[in-house]
Amino acid sequence: MNRVFTLPNIVSFIRIGLVPVFLWLLLGSDDVAAAGWLLGFIGATDWIDGYLARRLNQVSELGKILDPVADRLAVVSALIGGLIAGVLPAWFAVALLVREVLVALGALYVAARTQAKIEVRRIGKLATLLVYAAVAWYFVGDGADFDPLIWAAWIAGLPGLLLYYVAAGLYVGDVRRALAAAE
């Protein structure tokens, strides 16, 4: 299916459109907790676009691009915003950002060389869920001075970071196979 305006794509567009609202809440109005809640909503709705696409038989090439773009925009915005606002531990945010950049560069390289797209892996989705939760909890916990959420952020964040790098390693194998198949 090559339609643009499908229900799943609209959900992805909304998620992308909420990223500037998140940044405004965080950096413009200095409402760290509200920014964290919105980030949590963006992350929690991550599965909806894919579920709708499969359930309604509206899987599209655009949707296969929009969903990971929405995830990456939200995560990168949250990490950079969290560093600027001083909400996230710097080493944690930088480690996540480095992984994001490496995976994005690899995906762009494969797309440019082979016209292929690296498929999202379940472990990558799980890692993204844990990262979304951890980062959102850092924001809400910091903005609302609710320490148990900071602990929850650590509990989700450390395994999320580890799984993020495991998934990146698997994506390296996917990139190698895509490049070999294109030769």
Side-chain angles (χ1 to χ4, degrees):
M1 170 183 288
N2 289 322
R3 293 189 349 214
V4 172
F5 293 107
T6 63
L7 187 55
N9 289 353
I10 290 169
V11 170
S12 293
F13 282 126
I14 289 169
R15 292 178 61 230
I16 291 168
L18 288 174
V19 171
V21 177
F22 161 79
L23 288 170
W24 175 79
L25 285 170
L26 178 63
L27 302 173
S29 71
D30 198 29
D31 194 342
V32 176
W37 284 112
L38 181 57
L39 180 67
F41 174 79
I42 293 169
T45 58
D46 176 24
W47 67 274
I48 291 175
D49 43 15
Y51 172 79
L52 289 173
R54 290 183 296 278
R55 182 86 171 145
L56 301 173
N57 196 27
Q58 294 182 350
V59 174
S60 68
E61 292 306 310
L62 178 61
K64 290 178 184 178
I65 294 169
L66 283 179
D67 179 47
V69 165
D71 291 339
R72 302 295 63 89
L73 281 175
V75 169
V76 169
S77 297
L79 295 174
I80 293 172
L83 282 170
I84 292 169
V87 175
L88 297 175
W91 71 267
F92 180 73
V94 169
L96 291 169
L97 280 169
V98 165
R99 187 270 188 192
E100 287 292 333
V101 169
L102 293 174
V103 168
L105 290 174
L108 289 172
Y109 181 74
V110 167
R113 293 274 319 270
T114 69
Q115 304 301 314
K117 179 187 173 295
I118 302 299
E119 294 297 319
V120 176
R121 291 177 165 269
R122 288 191 187 273
I123 192 170
K125 293 295 259 179
L126 174 60
T128 299
L129 170 70
L130 290 171
V131 167
Y132 264 128
V135 173
W137 289 335
Y138 276 120
F139 281 83
V140 175
D142 185 75
D145 293 324
F146 190 60
D147 288 338
L149 281 181
I150 302 298
W151 282 103
W154 281 110
I155 291 168
L158 293 176
L161 177 63
L162 175 66
L163 290 176
Y164 232 33
Y165 274 90
V166 169
L170 294 172
Y171 291 138
V172 168
D174 295 341
V175 166
R176 287 183 177 156
R177 283 185 289 284
L179 293 173
E183 292 179 357

